[in-house]
Amino acid sequence: MRKVRTFSSDTDLVNQRRNHIVKIATEQIIKRGYNNINTRELASALGMSTGGLYHYIGSKEDILYLIINFTSDLTCQSLSRFADEEKGKSCEDKLRDSIRNYFEIVENYRDFHNFVNHIMLSLPVKDRKIVYKAESRVIDYYEELIADGIAEGVFEAQDARLAAHNIIVMANAWANRGWFLKKHYTLREYTDEQTDAILSHLRRSPKKNGHKQLQPVKQKA
Amino acid sequence: MRKVRTFSSDTDLVNQRRNHIVKIATEQIIKRGYNNINTRELASALGMSTGGLYHYIGSKEDILYLIINFTSDLTCQSLSRFADEEKGKSCEDKLRDSIRNYFEIVENYRDFHNFVNHIMLSLPVKDRKIVYKAESRVIDYYEELIADGIAEGVFEAQDARLAAHNIIVMANAWANRGWFLKKHYTLREYTDEQTDAILSHLRRSPKKNGHKQLQPVKQKA
DNA sequence: TCTCATCGACTGAGCGCTCGGTCTGTGTTA
DNA sequence: TAACACAGACCGAGCGCTCAGTCGATGAGA
């Protein structure tokens, strides 16, 4: 991960300042775009001068990396939290609860999720892997959970990876497509509807019966 | 829609040049980012000088609008094509075929879809509405199709809007998340799997039965 | 000859970042 | 105790560079 320069040797102060930079810069960048806000404006939004800002970072671009690091940490915390809360629950309840948790995290940290999705093209390709890696861990978590459900006979046999990926996509849609979704749904409504969609597919996948038998399946219902 | 300046009165030539600009600029901007490529590099990629480029556009930003316009036109053509092909088909077949068609369009014009999704934050808010509007039309199309299926009793009663929106989200995921999806799936596989997921939910939505009755439903299956 | 398409050197505005300077707090010495 | 030196946090004007866009020159075609 990229090393960000600071002139301060006070680690606590550096962390404190940088957390503040991450928070405010994310808001501003999401609102206006990374390239539509200059360092003077950023510094002003932070309540500092540019010199003060450069006491803690080495370049404007460093801010992007601070934010990405913060978001990756969030992802790790999410996974730890899911693992802590899943003990003693059925596969389906685990899945339902962790979907709700993840959607809430996406809502609470919407700016960071939006940020990462949109800033990706500004990064060198090798640095995009940091982001990919963090997100792949979430996909892996859900894939394993779904695969366990399939092994236990709770879910129908199907492509667990794609089902897991769809959960991430739906969560990101909430963060990215507020222009449409928030006109029509609350987070709770959206979460419930999407959880239902995911579970209805997991419980009874028509793929098992092949496409040509779709009509017979319907008659048996 | 934004008026783009040209010094030429030869409409055919302007269109020809601009289509070329749209095509090449989209590739370059997607590959490198709008703000990471300057007008000289763009002109060079186009096989022109900057002066030649500015004969057909008024500003670098105009290129964004040309591309957005092109993408909106694509969307209109997609909808016309769906409408032409749906005559005499059942709701389910219409839905299945139009999903496949839309996914193929997203694949064929992946650069434009990526472009619009990522460039949104560079636009003034009022101009984002152009993009929102084009995409809302696709959502409306699917919502109406699903609502017809519900009215005919082919699909279970549910939120047609969200189901329609999910189709768009899944198609965009193919365009935007190739880093993950293309490692595991061909377009055909992805289309079939997602169509199954969508249809399994439409045919049998557990929401109608409420969450508390999930187990009894399963036993009846 | 005139018109139009194209070129590329040039312009000036704006950018990220630096660096000389100020201010404040702390420690040392007389 | 007071004065001074020092370190570190912070400031903001200015620098060098890059950028988008211009404009006079040139060549081609009618």
Side-chain angles (χ1 to χ4, degrees):
Chain A
M1 186 60 200
R2 183 167 169 139
K3 179 79 176 171
V4 179
R5 182 202 73 185
T6 180
F7 292 129
S8 170
S9 52
D10 183 340
T11 308
D12 286 341
L13 183 63
V14 173
N15 284 336
Q16 183 188 339
R17 289 287 184 271
R18 284 185 176 166
N19 284 337
H20 181 56
I21 292 168
V22 163
K23 179 169 179 292
I24 302 298
T26 304
E27 293 168 4
Q28 294 295 321
I29 292 173
I30 289 290
K31 189 191 302 176
R32 305 177 51 184
Y34 175 72
N35 294 287
N36 291 334
I37 183 165
N38 61 42
T39 53
R40 283 167 189 79
E41 290 166 332
L42 263 181
S44 175
L46 287 160
M48 310 182 178
S49 65
T50 59
L53 177 58
Y54 281 93
H55 195 66
Y56 297 100
I57 61 170
S59 69
K60 186 185 180 189
E61 196 180 56
D62 278 348
I63 300 178
L64 299 184
Y65 289 90
L66 288 183
I67 296 175
I68 286 167
N69 223 31
F70 182 81
T71 308
S72 296
D73 286 348
L74 276 186
T75 304
C76 290
Q77 289 165 31
S78 305
L79 289 179
S80 300
R81 179 165 144 190
F82 296 167
D84 287 345
E85 295 180 357
E86 74 180 10
K87 298 182 177 77
K89 292 183 183 175
S90 67
C91 279
E92 190 163 308
D93 284 344
K94 281 186 206 171
L95 188 60
R96 187 189 305 278
D97 290 347
S98 61
I99 289 173
R100 179 174 300 143
N101 284 341
Y102 187 64
F103 279 34
E104 279 173 14
I105 286 162
V106 168
E107 163 73 7
N108 290 337
Y109 295 99
R110 189 186 328 123
D111 282 352
F112 301 109
H113 281 270
N114 271 344
F115 175 88
V116 169
N117 285 330
H118 286 284
I119 217 64
M120 188 75 88
L121 282 187
S122 299
L123 300 181
V125 169
K126 69 173 176 68
D127 287 337
R128 297 181 195 176
K129 287 182 179 140
I130 304 163
V131 180
Y132 294 155
K133 188 177 168 186
E135 194 161 292
S136 290
R137 289 211 295 265
V138 182
I139 295 171
D140 288 345
Y141 170 81
Y142 281 114
E143 182 180 354
E144 190 178 319
L145 188 48
I146 290 164
D148 287 347
I150 291 169
E152 291 174 20
V154 179
F155 302 143
E156 295 277 358
Q158 66 192 298
D159 188 330
R161 181 191 292 121
L162 189 57
H165 182 261
N166 281 343
I167 293 168
I168 308 305
V169 167
M170 288 174 179
N172 283 348
W174 179 257
N176 293 334
R177 302 176 67 91
W179 65 270
F180 181 83
L181 292 171
K182 285 175 183 284
K183 282 197 311 192
H184 302 298
Y185 309 99
T186 63
L187 173 64
R188 186 55 187 269
E189 287 165 345
Y190 180 73
T191 306
D192 287 348
E193 289 283 339
Q194 297 287 40
T195 305
D196 291 341
I198 291 157
L199 285 174
S200 74
H201 180 50
L202 290 175
R203 283 198 223 94
R204 182 173 198 87
S205 163
K207 182 172 185 283
K208 182 184 171 185
N209 297 321
H211 296 294
K212 290 179 183 173
Q213 302 184 21
L214 286 180
Q215 292 299 335
V217 170
K218 185 169 191 296
Q219 287 160 6
K220 277 156 54 180
Chain B
M1 186 59 201
R2 183 165 167 141
K3 179 80 176 168
V4 180
R5 183 201 71 186
T6 180
F7 290 128
S8 171
S9 50
D10 183 340
T11 308
D12 286 341
L13 182 63
V14 173
N15 284 336
Q16 182 187 338
R17 290 284 186 271
R18 284 188 176 163
N19 284 337
H20 182 56
I21 291 168
V22 163
K23 179 171 178 295
I24 302 298
T26 303
E27 293 168 4
Q28 294 294 321
I29 292 174
I30 288 290
K31 188 191 305 178
R32 305 178 52 185
Y34 176 72
N35 295 287
N36 291 334
I37 182 164
N38 60 41
T39 53
R40 279 163 194 77
E41 291 167 330
L42 264 181
S44 175
L46 287 160
M48 308 184 181
S49 65
T50 59
L53 176 58
Y54 280 95
H55 195 67
Y56 296 100
I57 61 170
S59 70
K60 184 185 180 190
E61 197 179 54
D62 278 347
I63 301 178
L64 300 184
Y65 290 91
L66 288 183
I67 297 174
I68 285 166
N69 223 32
F70 181 82
T71 308
S72 296
D73 287 348
L74 276 187
T75 303
C76 289
Q77 288 164 31
S78 305
L79 289 178
S80 299
R81 179 165 142 190
F82 296 167
D84 286 347
E85 295 181 357
E86 73 179 13
K87 297 184 175 79
K89 292 183 182 174
S90 68
C91 280
E92 189 164 308
D93 283 345
K94 280 186 208 170
L95 188 59
R96 188 189 306 278
D97 290 349
S98 61
I99 290 173
R100 178 174 301 144
N101 284 342
Y102 188 64
F103 278 34
E104 278 173 13
I105 286 162
V106 169
E107 162 73 7
N108 290 337
Y109 294 99
R110 191 187 326 119
D111 282 351
F112 300 108
H113 282 269
N114 272 343
F115 174 89
V116 170
N117 286 330
H118 286 284
I119 217 66
M120 189 75 89
L121 283 187
S122 298
L123 299 180
V125 169
K126 68 172 175 64
D127 286 338
R128 297 179 195 177
K129 286 181 181 148
I130 304 163
V131 180
Y132 295 154
K133 189 177 170 185
E135 195 161 289
S136 291
R137 288 211 294 264
V138 182
I139 295 171
D140 288 344
Y141 171 81
Y142 282 113
E143 183 180 352
E144 189 176 322
L145 188 48
I146 290 165
D148 287 347
I150 292 170
E152 292 175 19
V154 179
F155 301 142
E156 297 276 355
Q158 66 191 296
D159 189 331
R161 182 193 289 122
L162 189 57
H165 182 262
N166 280 344
I167 293 167
I168 308 305
V169 167
M170 288 174 177
N172 284 346
W174 179 258
N176 294 332
R177 303 176 67 94
W179 64 269
F180 180 84
L181 292 171
K182 284 174 185 283
K183 283 198 310 192
H184 303 298
Y185 309 99
T186 63
L187 173 64
R188 187 55 188 269
E189 286 164 349
Y190 180 73
T191 305
D192 287 348
E193 289 282 339
Q194 297 287 41
T195 304
D196 290 341
I198 291 157
L199 285 174
S200 75
H201 181 49
L202 290 175
R203 283 200 224 91
R204 184 173 193 87
S205 163
K207 180 169 188 287
K208 181 181 171 185
N209 296 322
H211 296 293
K212 290 178 181 172
Q213 301 183 20
L214 287 179
Q215 292 299 332
V217 170
K218 187 168 189 296
Q219 287 159 7
K220 276 157 54 178

